[in-house]
Amino acid sequence: MRCVIRSCMLIMLLFGLSACSFDSNERAVGEELTDQPHSTKVVLREWNPSGEKAETVRYETIWAMEDFWAKYKDWQLVDMNEHYMIFEKK
């Protein structure tokens, strides 16, 4: 009986993995590849020596992630989603 259950689980696992096909770029099939830039809101938070928080909001168009991360290399990323990124510097 255990052999039958293990066989069934193995078959289900194999069918589940084959349903998650990937192309050569390791993106899920159906996920669009685009050369379009991504626009995002960037929030920069800094604390003054007096302890006051200063916040600057920018809207960035990202053409290359390497360039974007290099621009904010001195900042710490604290939160992000597809619409915004929040960086802090203390």
Side-chain angles (χ1 to χ4, degrees), residues 16-89:
L17 290 177
S18 66
C20 299
S21 358
F22 289 90
D23 65 10
S24 62
N25 291 324
E26 294 190 18
R27 292 185 180 265
V29 174
E31 184 178 336
E32 294 181 31
L33 295 174
T34 181
D35 290 333
Q36 299 299 316
H38 177 72
S39 296
T40 189
K41 177 180 176 180
V42 176
V43 179
L44 303 174
R45 292 181 184 159
E46 285 187 277
W47 275 263
N48 298 334
S50 63
E52 295 178 22
K53 179 173 71 170
E55 197 169 273
T56 305
V57 177
R58 300 179 180 176
Y59 292 90
E60 297 268 352
T61 300
I62 304 170
W63 285 94
M65 288 305 295
E66 296 84 12
D67 297 337
F68 177 80
W69 292 121
K71 184 175 183 178
Y72 295 103
K73 68 180 173 128
D74 296 329
W75 294 82
Q76 181 179 4
L77 179 67
V78 293
D79 191 16
M80 105 181 209
N81 68 20
E82 64 184 76
H83 304 291
Y84 66 84
M85 294 183 178
I86 300 174
F87 292 94
E88 286 185 353
K89 187 187 281 189

